Amino acid sequence: MTDYQAVLDTTLSHIQPLLLSGKVADYIPALAEQKLGQFAMALHTIDGKTYTVGDCQARFTVQSVSKVMTLTMALQRYEDELWQRVGKEPSGTAFNSLTQLEFENGIPRNPFINAGAIVTCDALFSRLGAPIYTMLEQYRRQSGNDKVVINKKVAQSEFEHRFRNAAMAYLMKSFGNFTNEVEEVLWCYFNYCAIEINCAELARTFSYLSNQGYCAQSQQQLLSAKQTKQLNSLLFTSGLYDAAGDFAYRVGMPGKSGVSGTIIAVVPGKFTVAVWSPGLDKFGNSVAGIAALECLSEQLNTAIF
Ligand code: DON
């Protein structure tokens, strides 16, 4: 049997020299307050055990990892319609790039770049009576912590600096690919990004991705096994934006990053792992986080290939 705790302990000692590498996200003032040097990692197996290393009490906002849950909830409600409005291809551009959107007629390349997540949010917004509360409740159920909250300071700070995301949303609206009021949907999107969690809770929240769509904490079949396989495939090709190829090569798992310095990764049939370390590379992905997942993958010899 694999000694996951020993693997995590080895991973921590391996990434120590990288803890001060990279820069914290500074394009949102509230995120710029994060400090370099922090690290946490948690691995949740499909038989329900959680292993942790580092500061797993530390709480951080999920940021773009929220895009996975937004897509999951949209897929539950209207799969076919969604794929008319957002593509499935890697973008090869930064997460907040605007250029492709203009010459591809307001249809974002995939649901994980900002434009794709915002349009998915718009789709979900049309179907949910209380979109922010519904999402928060879902995290509470899946994480096993009914006290998970939204960091309102981060949400507000993102909203006040929403210009690029607003530009994307209005551009999509000009192409007829946006239904609701842009500002209302953006507020919802920023609240989703600002859900605050720790690494162990995050690994549990996304455990359904390694367990054929079933979440044991909430006892919900969130997606069918087929949809889960499809979502993992999209994460593999697009979860780390224009660094997805490098991540695939180094780690060999579907993954999703967020600018708080968190990344989730999945080995279907085995585990979901969450890592957090705020120093980011130029693509907006955690330097120590990617190195930790690479180290984990090498030790376990268990990427998806
Ligand atoms: O939309 C934004 O700018 C952020 N709330 C989320 C961006 C993000 O996490 C990109 N991921 N690496």
Side-chain angles (χ1 to χ4, degrees):
M1 229 181 76
T2 311
D3 186 348
Y4 285 115
Q5 191 57 54
V7 170
L8 291 186
D9 292 341
T10 304
T11 302
L12 176 59
S13 55
H14 177 81
I15 59 84
Q16 285 286 352
L18 293 174
L19 285 183
L20 296 176
S21 304
K23 280 174 59 185
V24 300
D26 56 5
Y27 73 102
I28 303 164
L31 278 185
E33 291 171 15
Q34 291 202 114
K35 299 271 173 289
L36 289 179
Q38 304 179 86
F39 180 86
M41 194 169 194
L43 183 149
H44 186 77
T45 60
I46 62 158
D47 54 1
K49 297 193 181 68
T50 306
Y51 302 85
T52 65
V53 74
D55 187 2
C56 277
Q57 299 305 315
R59 306 192 78 74
F60 50 86
T61 55
V62 292
Q63 292 301 324
S64 284
V65 172
S66 65
K67 294 166 177 170
V68 184
M69 190 72 88
T70 305
L71 178 61
T72 297
M73 290 181 69
L75 287 175
Q76 289 167 348
R77 286 160 178 87
Y78 44 175
E79 188 169 345
D80 293 340
E81 192 184 324
L82 185 71
W83 296 125
Q84 311 288 315
R85 302 183 58 189
V86 60
K88 304 187 191 84
E89 299 304 327
S91 69
T93 57
F95 66 87
N96 57 2
S97 171
L98 266 158
T99 46
Q100 239 165 18
L101 204 53
E102 162 74 352
F103 56 78
E104 295 187 354
N105 303 321
I107 309 289
R109 276 281 174 110
N110 67 66
F112 303 128
I113 50 173
N114 283 14
I118 292 167
V119 87
T120 308
C121 225
D122 177 53
L124 199 53
F125 195 91
S126 302
R127 295 284 166 106
L128 296 177
I132 297 175
Y133 180 72
T134 307
M135 181 64 80
L136 182 61
E137 271 300 296
Q138 199 56 40
Y139 274 86
R140 287 175 173 166
R141 273 187 235 137
Q142 291 178 221
S143 67
N145 176 3
D146 61 6
K147 305 229 165 10
V148 168
V149 293
I150 293 170
N151 183 326
K152 287 292 176 185
K153 185 176 165 192
V154 170
Q156 188 62 40
S157 182
E158 294 211 49
F159 190 73
E160 281 164 16
H161 295 82
R162 65 188 178 283
F163 315 115
R164 243 187 131 73
N165 284 328
M168 287 169 210
Y170 281 111
L171 190 56
M172 291 190 283
K173 204 164 181 79
S174 79
F175 281 107
N177 190 18
F178 212 89
T179 308
N180 299 288
E181 282 301 319
V182 163
E183 303 298 318
E184 284 182 44
V185 174
L186 286 177
W187 177 242
C188 177
Y189 167 77
F190 293 131
N191 273 267
Y192 290 177
C193 290
I195 288 173
E196 201 169 56
I197 206 154
N198 68 31
C199 255
E201 291 165 3
L202 193 61
R204 281 196 284 270
T205 300
F206 288 97
S207 58
Y208 66 98
L209 296 177
S210 51
N211 202 16
Q212 301 198 72
Y214 182 72
C215 175
Q217 288 74 238
S218 62
Q219 300 184 326
Q220 291 169 299
Q221 187 72 44
L222 295 165
L223 295 174
S224 68
K226 181 178 171 190
Q227 287 173 314
T228 309
K229 186 181 72 179
Q230 291 168 331
L231 198 159
N232 281 330
S233 302
L234 294 180
L235 285 175
F236 195 73
T237 52
S238 303
L240 273 83
Y241 316 113
D242 39 346
D246 187 61
F247 184 78
Y249 186 80
R250 290 173 64 187
V251 178
M253 302 175 195
K256 183 74 209 81
S257 60
V259 288
S260 53
T262 187
I263 308 174
I264 58 161
V266 178
V267 177
K270 291 198 168 144
F271 59 78
T272 298
V273 57
V275 63
W276 169 71
S277 189
L280 306 181
D281 62 20
K282 64 176 179 182
F283 301 105
N285 301 319
S286 170
V287 176
I290 294 179
L293 291 169
E294 183 178 19
C295 179
L296 178 97
S297 166
E298 276 175 22
Q299 288 179 80
L300 294 175
N301 200 16
T302 185
I304 58 167
F305 301 105

